[in-house]
Amino acid sequence: MLEKSHKHITCKNCLSRKDSLLCSMTGEDLEKVDSSKSCSYFKKGQPLFIEGGLPRGVFCINEGKVKVYSRGEEGKEQIIHVATSGEIVGFRAMFSGEPYSVAANTLEESNICFISKDDFLDLVDTNPNLRNGILRELSKELADRASFIKNMAQKSVRERLAAALLILDDIYGEDFINLSREDLANFVGTATETLIRLLKDFKDDGFVTTHVRKIEVLDKEGLIRLAGV
Amino acid sequence: MLEKSHKHITCKNCLSRKDSLLCSMTGEDLEKVDSSKSCSYFKKGQPLFIEGGLPRGVFCINEGKVKVYSRGEEGKEQIIHVATSGEIVGFRAMFSGEPYSVAANTLEESNICFISKDDFLDLVDTNPNLRNGILRELSKELADRASFIKNMAQKSVRERLAAALLILDDIYGEDFINLSREDLANFVGTATETLIRLLKDFKDDGFVTTHVRKIEVLDKEGLIRLAGV
DNA sequence: TAAGAAGTATGATTTAGGTCATTTTTTTGC
DNA sequence: GCAAAAAAATGACCTAAATCATACTTCTTA
């Protein structure tokens, strides 16, 4: 259980610092970030921002998980990305100058820092390292999404589920994957019922086991073979 | 028919200049681009770069069309983007420092300029306008791809075809859409046979007409309604 | 701690769209 | 201008996965 305080989290002490684009800065830049940001505790399911909203700044996840998604016609969510500790969320709309094209909600209770648009853009402008980091990050994500598109177009739901479980296993690290069946289905891009059935198959085949809602990956190799990555 | 010469195309005279991130620069920066780039004529179907290759620079389309795609398991292409005059192709891998995650081929004969990695990165580093333009461009593309993913997951092939035709109609401007049925299928993310059948339906319904392989959009409004955009 | 609400699971049914086979049309190269 | 190859079109068939209906479990919170 996270502390429900709103106390400031010093970047220097941030556990996710080494993995973070933002907090991996040094010297006075780091101090600048530190002094201009605010930190908040988010309950599970709270929105960071909504589709169509206007961006006021970026969010840096100190601890927790955030789903980035977009809603289709009948309200069905497509989860584009699951962000974890150290990641910056919401910086795309910052540069495009357009409203958010996606929404973001916490998937569990989280501590999340916020840096205002001006401060962030100022940092990007004056700090070549951060800038290059962001360019690199954007490019990588673009590559990720190209392969996401390809998978959606060419792979079966079964293959996509295997791939998704591998990605999520990475994101959740030592913890079990902790997503509702519906969220998982919305990440894989399928109906919840189909997801549940396939997950059962995977259990029968020994690829995973479940602890109520949580999913434990037992056979990575098997999933890799199945996903055809 | 384009001139098959390799003569230098001066950025100042580039017809696509107004639409181009790169050539919309001014003064000495423009001259710098101009002097450091080389221009080539590409036949239809020629590769600019291949998946897994190492990037040496970026391509700027003076005239022509380029498909950006990625190949799946059985070699089936998924077309991610169709680039046209004025667009820069291949700058993502430039920043990520990784091999190309996608490939690019001309879809028709094209005049394409090339700027080396060093020159390009130098420009990005020293020219804040270009830099911001690139950040904006990357962000927009990221948003595009999120909606691409959502469409693949939630829309029917019929709806996706309608959406694809609208996008392509924009890209081809005054010209008719000129893609092989296979390429179109690989853009929509479906089997070629399915695409041909649906295209016939669209013809019967008066949304489009075909001139041999070329496709003319007759009823944009109708397609918009169908695509549910 | 009981009741209601969410979330998970399973069964039955339908269908969009993939696959394979074949024919027809268009393009390409000699 | 003709033969061969490539692309487009059509038909027959099949299955992965969606949808709808219902039941069962696990969380909430009153």
PDB file of all heavy atoms in Angstrom, chain D residues 4-17:
ATOM      1  P    DA D   4       4.871 -18.758 -74.198  1.00  0.00           P
ATOM      2  OP1  DA D   4       5.973 -19.717 -74.445  1.00  0.00           O
ATOM      3  OP2  DA D   4       3.455 -19.205 -74.177  1.00  0.00           O
ATOM      4  O5'  DA D   4       5.187 -17.985 -72.836  1.00  0.00           O
ATOM      5  C5'  DA D   4       6.356 -17.165 -72.756  1.00  0.00           C
ATOM      6  C4'  DA D   4       6.254 -16.292 -71.530  1.00  0.00           C
ATOM      7  O4'  DA D   4       5.317 -15.217 -71.757  1.00  0.00           O
ATOM      8  C3'  DA D   4       5.774 -17.029 -70.278  1.00  0.00           C
ATOM      9  O3'  DA D   4       6.649 -16.688 -69.226  1.00  0.00           O
ATOM     10  C2'  DA D   4       4.352 -16.498 -70.067  1.00  0.00           C
ATOM     11  C1'  DA D   4       4.470 -15.088 -70.639  1.00  0.00           C
ATOM     12  N9   DA D   4       3.222 -14.505 -71.127  1.00  0.00           N
ATOM     13  C8   DA D   4       2.222 -15.104 -71.839  1.00  0.00           C
ATOM     14  N7   DA D   4       1.226 -14.302 -72.143  1.00  0.00           N
ATOM     15  C5   DA D   4       1.593 -13.094 -71.595  1.00  0.00           C
ATOM     16  C6   DA D   4       0.970 -11.834 -71.562  1.00  0.00           C
ATOM     17  N6   DA D   4      -0.204 -11.577 -72.146  1.00  0.00           N
ATOM     18  N1   DA D   4       1.610 -10.822 -70.924  1.00  0.00           N
ATOM     19  C2   DA D   4       2.790 -11.077 -70.352  1.00  0.00           C
ATOM     20  N3   DA D   4       3.481 -12.214 -70.309  1.00  0.00           N
ATOM     21  C4   DA D   4       2.816 -13.198 -70.961  1.00  0.00           C
ATOM     22  P    DA D   5       6.597 -17.358 -67.823  1.00  0.00           P
ATOM     23  OP1  DA D   5       7.955 -17.849 -67.523  1.00  0.00           O
ATOM     24  OP2  DA D   5       5.428 -18.259 -67.771  1.00  0.00           O
ATOM     25  O5'  DA D   5       6.309 -16.092 -66.899  1.00  0.00           O
ATOM     26  C5'  DA D   5       6.938 -14.842 -67.214  1.00  0.00           C
ATOM     27  C4'  DA D   5       6.180 -13.726 -66.537  1.00  0.00           C
ATOM     28  O4'  DA D   5       4.970 -13.426 -67.260  1.00  0.00           O
ATOM     29  C3'  DA D   5       5.753 -14.045 -65.102  1.00  0.00           C
ATOM     30  O3'  DA D   5       6.141 -12.956 -64.306  1.00  0.00           O
ATOM     31  C2'  DA D   5       4.231 -14.203 -65.194  1.00  0.00           C
ATOM     32  C1'  DA D   5       3.909 -13.250 -66.342  1.00  0.00           C
ATOM     33  N9   DA D   5       2.674 -13.544 -67.060  1.00  0.00           N
ATOM     34  C8   DA D   5       2.238 -14.737 -67.550  1.00  0.00           C
ATOM     35  N7   DA D   5       1.078 -14.664 -68.182  1.00  0.00           N
ATOM     36  C5   DA D   5       0.745 -13.321 -68.100  1.00  0.00           C
ATOM     37  C6   DA D   5      -0.368 -12.589 -68.573  1.00  0.00           C
ATOM     38  N6   DA D   5      -1.368 -13.135 -69.259  1.00  0.00           N
ATOM     39  N1   DA D   5      -0.400 -11.257 -68.317  1.00  0.00           N
ATOM     40  C2   DA D   5       0.622 -10.709 -67.640  1.00  0.00           C
ATOM     41  N3   DA D   5       1.716 -11.296 -67.139  1.00  0.00           N
ATOM     42  C4   DA D   5       1.710 -12.616 -67.413  1.00  0.00           C
ATOM     43  P    DA D   6       6.140 -12.967 -62.730  1.00  0.00           P
ATOM     44  OP1  DA D   6       7.460 -12.470 -62.303  1.00  0.00           O
ATOM     45  OP2  DA D   6       5.634 -14.281 -62.275  1.00  0.00           O
ATOM     46  O5'  DA D   6       5.060 -11.850 -62.378  1.00  0.00           O
ATOM     47  C5'  DA D   6       5.132 -10.582 -63.022  1.00  0.00           C
ATOM     48  C4'  DA D   6       3.786  -9.903 -62.911  1.00  0.00           C
ATOM     49  O4'  DA D   6       2.828 -10.555 -63.770  1.00  0.00           O
ATOM     50  C3'  DA D   6       3.201  -9.930 -61.500  1.00  0.00           C
ATOM     51  O3'  DA D   6       2.966  -8.581 -61.145  1.00  0.00           O
ATOM     52  C2'  DA D   6       1.913 -10.751 -61.639  1.00  0.00           C
ATOM     53  C1'  DA D   6       1.577 -10.565 -63.114  1.00  0.00           C
ATOM     54  N9   DA D   6       0.797 -11.629 -63.728  1.00  0.00           N
ATOM     55  C8   DA D   6       1.069 -12.970 -63.756  1.00  0.00           C
ATOM     56  N7   DA D   6       0.182 -13.680 -64.423  1.00  0.00           N
ATOM     57  C5   DA D   6      -0.735 -12.740 -64.861  1.00  0.00           C
ATOM     58  C6   DA D   6      -1.924 -12.843 -65.635  1.00  0.00           C
ATOM     59  N6   DA D   6      -2.388 -14.006 -66.098  1.00  0.00           N
ATOM     60  N1   DA D   6      -2.594 -11.702 -65.888  1.00  0.00           N
ATOM     61  C2   DA D   6      -2.120 -10.547 -65.416  1.00  0.00           C
ATOM     62  N3   DA D   6      -1.024 -10.315 -64.697  1.00  0.00           N
ATOM     63  C4   DA D   6      -0.371 -11.470 -64.444  1.00  0.00           C
ATOM     64  P    DA D   7       2.401  -8.152 -59.725  1.00  0.00           P
ATOM     65  OP1  DA D   7       3.026  -6.865 -59.362  1.00  0.00           O
ATOM     66  OP2  DA D   7       2.470  -9.318 -58.818  1.00  0.00           O
ATOM     67  O5'  DA D   7       0.876  -7.871 -60.060  1.00  0.00           O
ATOM     68  C5'  DA D   7       0.564  -6.934 -61.078  1.00  0.00           C
ATOM     69  C4'  DA D   7      -0.926  -6.957 -61.308  1.00  0.00           C
ATOM     70  O4'  DA D   7      -1.301  -8.217 -61.907  1.00  0.00           O
ATOM     71  C3'  DA D   7      -1.750  -6.820 -60.030  1.00  0.00           C
ATOM     72  O3'  DA D   7      -2.618  -5.728 -60.237  1.00  0.00           O
ATOM     73  C2'  DA D   7      -2.466  -8.169 -59.898  1.00  0.00           C
ATOM     74  C1'  DA D   7      -2.518  -8.635 -61.347  1.00  0.00           C
ATOM     75  N9   DA D   7      -2.587 -10.078 -61.575  1.00  0.00           N
ATOM     76  C8   DA D   7      -1.733 -11.029 -61.102  1.00  0.00           C
ATOM     77  N7   DA D   7      -2.028 -12.248 -61.507  1.00  0.00           N
ATOM     78  C5   DA D   7      -3.157 -12.069 -62.295  1.00  0.00           C
ATOM     79  C6   DA D   7      -3.968 -12.978 -63.020  1.00  0.00           C
ATOM     80  N6   DA D   7      -3.739 -14.295 -63.054  1.00  0.00           N
ATOM     81  N1   DA D   7      -5.018 -12.464 -63.708  1.00  0.00           N
ATOM     82  C2   DA D   7      -5.235 -11.146 -63.665  1.00  0.00           C
ATOM     83  N3   DA D   7      -4.536 -10.193 -63.021  1.00  0.00           N
ATOM     84  C4   DA D   7      -3.508 -10.738 -62.349  1.00  0.00           C
ATOM     85  P    DA D   8      -3.729  -5.295 -59.175  1.00  0.00           P
ATOM     86  OP1  DA D   8      -3.943  -3.838 -59.325  1.00  0.00           O
ATOM     87  OP2  DA D   8      -3.385  -5.885 -57.867  1.00  0.00           O
ATOM     88  O5'  DA D   8      -5.001  -6.047 -59.739  1.00  0.00           O
ATOM     89  C5'  DA D   8      -5.497  -5.712 -61.031  1.00  0.00           C
ATOM     90  C4'  DA D   8      -6.755  -6.496 -61.306  1.00  0.00           C
ATOM     91  O4'  DA D   8      -6.426  -7.902 -61.398  1.00  0.00           O
ATOM     92  C3'  DA D   8      -7.843  -6.374 -60.244  1.00  0.00           C
ATOM     93  O3'  DA D   8      -9.033  -5.995 -60.915  1.00  0.00           O
ATOM     94  C2'  DA D   8      -7.920  -7.774 -59.618  1.00  0.00           C
ATOM     95  C1'  DA D   8      -7.426  -8.659 -60.752  1.00  0.00           C
ATOM     96  N9   DA D   8      -6.778  -9.911 -60.401  1.00  0.00           N
ATOM     97  C8   DA D   8      -5.717 -10.088 -59.558  1.00  0.00           C
ATOM     98  N7   DA D   8      -5.319 -11.341 -59.457  1.00  0.00           N
ATOM     99  C5   DA D   8      -6.183 -12.029 -60.295  1.00  0.00           C
ATOM    100  C6   DA D   8      -6.296 -13.399 -60.634  1.00  0.00           C
ATOM    101  N6   DA D   8      -5.481 -14.356 -60.140  1.00  0.00           N
ATOM    102  N1   DA D   8      -7.274 -13.756 -61.497  1.00  0.00           N
ATOM    103  C2   DA D   8      -8.077 -12.791 -61.987  1.00  0.00           C
ATOM    104  N3   DA D   8      -8.069 -11.480 -61.751  1.00  0.00           N
ATOM    105  C4   DA D   8      -7.090 -11.157 -60.885  1.00  0.00           C
ATOM    106  P    DA D   9     -10.389  -5.729 -60.134  1.00  0.00           P
ATOM    107  OP1  DA D   9     -11.202  -4.759 -60.898  1.00  0.00           O
ATOM    108  OP2  DA D   9     -10.079  -5.490 -58.711  1.00  0.00           O
ATOM    109  O5'  DA D   9     -11.086  -7.155 -60.258  1.00  0.00           O
ATOM    110  C5'  DA D   9     -11.423  -7.638 -61.551  1.00  0.00           C
ATOM    111  C4'  DA D   9     -12.003  -9.028 -61.415  1.00  0.00           C
ATOM    112  O4'  DA D   9     -10.990  -9.938 -60.953  1.00  0.00           O
ATOM    113  C3'  DA D   9     -13.158  -9.152 -60.418  1.00  0.00           C
ATOM    114  O3'  DA D   9     -14.312  -9.478 -61.175  1.00  0.00           O
ATOM    115  C2'  DA D   9     -12.724 -10.254 -59.460  1.00  0.00           C
ATOM    116  C1'  DA D   9     -11.645 -10.971 -60.235  1.00  0.00           C
ATOM    117  N9   DA D   9     -10.594 -11.628 -59.468  1.00  0.00           N
ATOM    118  C8   DA D   9      -9.720 -11.048 -58.591  1.00  0.00           C
ATOM    119  N7   DA D   9      -8.859 -11.888 -58.052  1.00  0.00           N
ATOM    120  C5   DA D   9      -9.198 -13.110 -58.626  1.00  0.00           C
ATOM    121  C6   DA D   9      -8.664 -14.414 -58.482  1.00  0.00           C
ATOM    122  N6   DA D   9      -7.634 -14.692 -57.668  1.00  0.00           N
ATOM    123  N1   DA D   9      -9.223 -15.410 -59.198  1.00  0.00           N
ATOM    124  C2   DA D   9     -10.257 -15.108 -60.012  1.00  0.00           C
ATOM    125  N3   DA D   9     -10.839 -13.929 -60.233  1.00  0.00           N
ATOM    126  C4   DA D   9     -10.255 -12.968 -59.508  1.00  0.00           C
ATOM    127  P    DT D  10     -15.748  -9.527 -60.553  1.00  0.00           P
ATOM    128  OP1  DT D  10     -16.722  -9.218 -61.603  1.00  0.00           O
ATOM    129  OP2  DT D  10     -15.731  -8.769 -59.298  1.00  0.00           O
ATOM    130  O5'  DT D  10     -15.896 -11.072 -60.179  1.00  0.00           O
ATOM    131  C5'  DT D  10     -15.780 -12.023 -61.232  1.00  0.00           C
ATOM    132  C4'  DT D  10     -15.869 -13.412 -60.647  1.00  0.00           C
ATOM    133  O4'  DT D  10     -14.613 -13.756 -60.015  1.00  0.00           O
ATOM    134  C3'  DT D  10     -16.936 -13.607 -59.574  1.00  0.00           C
ATOM    135  O3'  DT D  10     -17.800 -14.637 -60.011  1.00  0.00           O
ATOM    136  C2'  DT D  10     -16.170 -13.981 -58.326  1.00  0.00           C
ATOM    137  C1'  DT D  10     -14.917 -14.597 -58.933  1.00  0.00           C
ATOM    138  N1   DT D  10     -13.727 -14.632 -58.057  1.00  0.00           N
ATOM    139  C2   DT D  10     -13.033 -15.804 -57.950  1.00  0.00           C
ATOM    140  O2   DT D  10     -13.343 -16.825 -58.535  1.00  0.00           O
ATOM    141  N3   DT D  10     -11.945 -15.755 -57.127  1.00  0.00           N
ATOM    142  C4   DT D  10     -11.497 -14.651 -56.412  1.00  0.00           C
ATOM    143  O4   DT D  10     -10.499 -14.730 -55.700  1.00  0.00           O
ATOM    144  C5   DT D  10     -12.280 -13.458 -56.555  1.00  0.00           C
ATOM    145  C7   DT D  10     -11.897 -12.211 -55.819  1.00  0.00           C
ATOM    146  C6   DT D  10     -13.343 -13.503 -57.367  1.00  0.00           C
ATOM    147  P    DG D  11     -19.119 -15.058 -59.197  1.00  0.00           P
ATOM    148  OP1  DG D  11     -20.215 -15.233 -60.181  1.00  0.00           O
ATOM    149  OP2  DG D  11     -19.298 -14.145 -58.054  1.00  0.00           O
ATOM    150  O5'  DG D  11     -18.712 -16.487 -58.633  1.00  0.00           O
ATOM    151  C5'  DG D  11     -18.069 -17.431 -59.473  1.00  0.00           C
ATOM    152  C4'  DG D  11     -17.738 -18.670 -58.671  1.00  0.00           C
ATOM    153  O4'  DG D  11     -16.467 -18.478 -57.997  1.00  0.00           O
ATOM    154  C3'  DG D  11     -18.759 -18.998 -57.567  1.00  0.00           C
ATOM    155  O3'  DG D  11     -19.013 -20.401 -57.608  1.00  0.00           O
ATOM    156  C2'  DG D  11     -18.059 -18.568 -56.291  1.00  0.00           C
ATOM    157  C1'  DG D  11     -16.599 -18.841 -56.642  1.00  0.00           C
ATOM    158  N9   DG D  11     -15.633 -18.061 -55.887  1.00  0.00           N
ATOM    159  C8   DG D  11     -15.648 -16.703 -55.661  1.00  0.00           C
ATOM    160  N7   DG D  11     -14.627 -16.290 -54.948  1.00  0.00           N
ATOM    161  C5   DG D  11     -13.892 -17.443 -54.704  1.00  0.00           C
ATOM    162  C6   DG D  11     -12.691 -17.618 -53.990  1.00  0.00           C
ATOM    163  O6   DG D  11     -12.007 -16.769 -53.414  1.00  0.00           O
ATOM    164  N1   DG D  11     -12.287 -18.945 -53.967  1.00  0.00           N
ATOM    165  C2   DG D  11     -12.957 -19.979 -54.561  1.00  0.00           C
ATOM    166  N2   DG D  11     -12.441 -21.188 -54.443  1.00  0.00           N
ATOM    167  N3   DG D  11     -14.093 -19.824 -55.241  1.00  0.00           N
ATOM    168  C4   DG D  11     -14.496 -18.540 -55.272  1.00  0.00           C
ATOM    169  P    DA D  12     -20.030 -21.113 -56.609  1.00  0.00           P
ATOM    170  OP1  DA D  12     -20.781 -22.128 -57.385  1.00  0.00           O
ATOM    171  OP2  DA D  12     -20.754 -20.067 -55.841  1.00  0.00           O
ATOM    172  O5'  DA D  12     -19.041 -21.852 -55.606  1.00  0.00           O
ATOM    173  C5'  DA D  12     -17.929 -22.614 -56.115  1.00  0.00           C
ATOM    174  C4'  DA D  12     -17.344 -23.396 -54.951  1.00  0.00           C
ATOM    175  O4'  DA D  12     -16.376 -22.565 -54.256  1.00  0.00           O
ATOM    176  C3'  DA D  12     -18.373 -23.823 -53.905  1.00  0.00           C
ATOM    177  O3'  DA D  12     -17.991 -25.102 -53.412  1.00  0.00           O
ATOM    178  C2'  DA D  12     -18.290 -22.713 -52.864  1.00  0.00           C
ATOM    179  C1'  DA D  12     -16.793 -22.374 -52.907  1.00  0.00           C
ATOM    180  N9   DA D  12     -16.449 -21.002 -52.541  1.00  0.00           N
ATOM    181  C8   DA D  12     -17.181 -19.869 -52.734  1.00  0.00           C
ATOM    182  N7   DA D  12     -16.601 -18.767 -52.301  1.00  0.00           N
ATOM    183  C5   DA D  12     -15.384 -19.221 -51.790  1.00  0.00           C
ATOM    184  C6   DA D  12     -14.309 -18.563 -51.188  1.00  0.00           C
ATOM    185  N6   DA D  12     -14.256 -17.233 -50.990  1.00  0.00           N
ATOM    186  N1   DA D  12     -13.257 -19.305 -50.798  1.00  0.00           N
ATOM    187  C2   DA D  12     -13.292 -20.625 -51.000  1.00  0.00           C
ATOM    188  N3   DA D  12     -14.258 -21.365 -51.554  1.00  0.00           N
ATOM    189  C4   DA D  12     -15.282 -20.589 -51.933  1.00  0.00           C
ATOM    190  P    DC D  13     -18.725 -25.802 -52.199  1.00  0.00           P
ATOM    191  OP1  DC D  13     -18.630 -27.260 -52.432  1.00  0.00           O
ATOM    192  OP2  DC D  13     -20.029 -25.137 -51.963  1.00  0.00           O
ATOM    193  O5'  DC D  13     -17.768 -25.452 -50.986  1.00  0.00           O
ATOM    194  C5'  DC D  13     -16.370 -25.752 -51.086  1.00  0.00           C
ATOM    195  C4'  DC D  13     -15.703 -25.268 -49.828  1.00  0.00           C
ATOM    196  O4'  DC D  13     -15.635 -23.826 -49.823  1.00  0.00           O
ATOM    197  C3'  DC D  13     -16.452 -25.672 -48.549  1.00  0.00           C
ATOM    198  O3'  DC D  13     -15.569 -26.486 -47.800  1.00  0.00           O
ATOM    199  C2'  DC D  13     -16.814 -24.332 -47.888  1.00  0.00           C
ATOM    200  C1'  DC D  13     -15.770 -23.391 -48.494  1.00  0.00           C
ATOM    201  N1   DC D  13     -16.128 -21.947 -48.530  1.00  0.00           N
ATOM    202  C2   DC D  13     -15.209 -21.027 -48.026  1.00  0.00           C
ATOM    203  O2   DC D  13     -14.140 -21.444 -47.564  1.00  0.00           O
ATOM    204  N3   DC D  13     -15.511 -19.706 -48.052  1.00  0.00           N
ATOM    205  C4   DC D  13     -16.665 -19.299 -48.557  1.00  0.00           C
ATOM    206  N4   DC D  13     -16.911 -17.987 -48.563  1.00  0.00           N
ATOM    207  C5   DC D  13     -17.626 -20.211 -49.084  1.00  0.00           C
ATOM    208  C6   DC D  13     -17.315 -21.521 -49.045  1.00  0.00           C
ATOM    209  P    DC D  14     -15.952 -27.073 -46.400  1.00  0.00           P
ATOM    210  OP1  DC D  14     -15.365 -28.421 -46.330  1.00  0.00           O
ATOM    211  OP2  DC D  14     -17.398 -26.847 -46.136  1.00  0.00           O
ATOM    212  O5'  DC D  14     -15.106 -26.119 -45.418  1.00  0.00           O
ATOM    213  C5'  DC D  14     -13.779 -25.722 -45.791  1.00  0.00           C
ATOM    214  C4'  DC D  14     -13.227 -24.861 -44.683  1.00  0.00           C
ATOM    215  O4'  DC D  14     -13.707 -23.497 -44.845  1.00  0.00           O
ATOM    216  C3'  DC D  14     -13.662 -25.294 -43.281  1.00  0.00           C
ATOM    217  O3'  DC D  14     -12.544 -25.136 -42.437  1.00  0.00           O
ATOM    218  C2'  DC D  14     -14.797 -24.330 -42.940  1.00  0.00           C
ATOM    219  C1'  DC D  14     -14.345 -23.069 -43.660  1.00  0.00           C
ATOM    220  N1   DC D  14     -15.426 -22.134 -44.081  1.00  0.00           N
ATOM    221  C2   DC D  14     -15.206 -20.748 -43.969  1.00  0.00           C
ATOM    222  O2   DC D  14     -14.123 -20.356 -43.502  1.00  0.00           O
ATOM    223  N3   DC D  14     -16.174 -19.893 -44.371  1.00  0.00           N
ATOM    224  C4   DC D  14     -17.320 -20.352 -44.871  1.00  0.00           C
ATOM    225  N4   DC D  14     -18.237 -19.460 -45.255  1.00  0.00           N
ATOM    226  C5   DC D  14     -17.580 -21.756 -44.990  1.00  0.00           C
ATOM    227  C6   DC D  14     -16.610 -22.601 -44.590  1.00  0.00           C
ATOM    228  P    DT D  15     -12.488 -25.905 -41.019  1.00  0.00           P
ATOM    229  OP1  DT D  15     -11.494 -26.973 -41.175  1.00  0.00           O
ATOM    230  OP2  DT D  15     -13.876 -26.197 -40.576  1.00  0.00           O
ATOM    231  O5'  DT D  15     -11.883 -24.817 -40.037  1.00  0.00           O
ATOM    232  C5'  DT D  15     -10.972 -23.830 -40.525  1.00  0.00           C
ATOM    233  C4'  DT D  15     -11.176 -22.540 -39.756  1.00  0.00           C
ATOM    234  O4'  DT D  15     -12.286 -21.799 -40.312  1.00  0.00           O
ATOM    235  C3'  DT D  15     -11.522 -22.727 -38.267  1.00  0.00           C
ATOM    236  O3'  DT D  15     -10.865 -21.722 -37.558  1.00  0.00           O
ATOM    237  C2'  DT D  15     -13.020 -22.492 -38.242  1.00  0.00           C
ATOM    238  C1'  DT D  15     -13.086 -21.358 -39.250  1.00  0.00           C
ATOM    239  N1   DT D  15     -14.433 -21.024 -39.785  1.00  0.00           N
ATOM    240  C2   DT D  15     -14.724 -19.705 -40.027  1.00  0.00           C
ATOM    241  O2   DT D  15     -13.941 -18.806 -39.821  1.00  0.00           O
ATOM    242  N3   DT D  15     -15.983 -19.487 -40.521  1.00  0.00           N
ATOM    243  C4   DT D  15     -16.954 -20.436 -40.778  1.00  0.00           C
ATOM    244  O4   DT D  15     -18.044 -20.103 -41.219  1.00  0.00           O
ATOM    245  C5   DT D  15     -16.571 -21.801 -40.506  1.00  0.00           C
ATOM    246  C7   DT D  15     -17.546 -22.902 -40.741  1.00  0.00           C
ATOM    247  C6   DT D  15     -15.351 -22.031 -40.019  1.00  0.00           C
ATOM    248  P    DA D  16      -9.902 -22.030 -36.329  1.00  0.00           P
ATOM    249  OP1  DA D  16      -8.722 -22.755 -36.828  1.00  0.00           O
ATOM    250  OP2  DA D  16     -10.753 -22.595 -35.266  1.00  0.00           O
ATOM    251  O5'  DA D  16      -9.430 -20.569 -35.892  1.00  0.00           O
ATOM    252  C5'  DA D  16      -8.987 -19.655 -36.883  1.00  0.00           C
ATOM    253  C4'  DA D  16      -9.520 -18.272 -36.587  1.00  0.00           C
ATOM    254  O4'  DA D  16     -10.926 -18.191 -36.930  1.00  0.00           O
ATOM    255  C3'  DA D  16      -9.408 -17.833 -35.143  1.00  0.00           C
ATOM    256  O3'  DA D  16      -9.037 -16.464 -35.159  1.00  0.00           O
ATOM    257  C2'  DA D  16     -10.818 -18.061 -34.574  1.00  0.00           C
ATOM    258  C1'  DA D  16     -11.702 -17.839 -35.799  1.00  0.00           C
ATOM    259  N9   DA D  16     -12.925 -18.653 -35.884  1.00  0.00           N
ATOM    260  C8   DA D  16     -13.084 -19.958 -35.520  1.00  0.00           C
ATOM    261  N7   DA D  16     -14.287 -20.439 -35.767  1.00  0.00           N
ATOM    262  C5   DA D  16     -14.954 -19.376 -36.343  1.00  0.00           C
ATOM    263  C6   DA D  16     -16.275 -19.234 -36.831  1.00  0.00           C
ATOM    264  N6   DA D  16     -17.176 -20.213 -36.827  1.00  0.00           N
ATOM    265  N1   DA D  16     -16.623 -18.033 -37.333  1.00  0.00           N
ATOM    266  C2   DA D  16     -15.726 -17.051 -37.350  1.00  0.00           C
ATOM    267  N3   DA D  16     -14.459 -17.061 -36.928  1.00  0.00           N
ATOM    268  C4   DA D  16     -14.135 -18.261 -36.419  1.00  0.00           C
ATOM    269  P    DA D  17      -8.606 -15.726 -33.852  1.00  0.00           P
ATOM    270  OP1  DA D  17      -7.629 -14.701 -34.272  1.00  0.00           O
ATOM    271  OP2  DA D  17      -8.262 -16.714 -32.821  1.00  0.00           O
ATOM    272  O5'  DA D  17      -9.957 -14.986 -33.442  1.00  0.00           O
ATOM    273  C5'  DA D  17     -10.570 -14.131 -34.400  1.00  0.00           C
ATOM    274  C4'  DA D  17     -11.973 -13.805 -33.988  1.00  0.00           C
ATOM    275  O4'  DA D  17     -12.871 -14.920 -34.234  1.00  0.00           O
ATOM    276  C3'  DA D  17     -12.174 -13.440 -32.507  1.00  0.00           C
ATOM    277  O3'  DA D  17     -12.982 -12.313 -32.474  1.00  0.00           O
ATOM    278  C2'  DA D  17     -12.895 -14.668 -31.963  1.00  0.00           C
ATOM    279  C1'  DA D  17     -13.783 -14.962 -33.162  1.00  0.00           C
ATOM    280  N9   DA D  17     -14.460 -16.256 -33.153  1.00  0.00           N
ATOM    281  C8   DA D  17     -14.009 -17.453 -32.686  1.00  0.00           C
ATOM    282  N7   DA D  17     -14.864 -18.436 -32.813  1.00  0.00           N
ATOM    283  C5   DA D  17     -15.966 -17.841 -33.407  1.00  0.00           C
ATOM    284  C6   DA D  17     -17.219 -18.348 -33.813  1.00  0.00           C
ATOM    285  N6   DA D  17     -17.583 -19.618 -33.660  1.00  0.00           N
ATOM    286  N1   DA D  17     -18.096 -17.480 -34.376  1.00  0.00           N
ATOM    287  C2   DA D  17     -17.733 -16.208 -34.524  1.00  0.00           C
ATOM    288  N3   DA D  17     -16.579 -15.617 -34.192  1.00  0.00           N
ATOM    289  C4   DA D  17     -15.735 -16.501 -33.630  1.00  0.00           C
TER     290       DA D  17
END
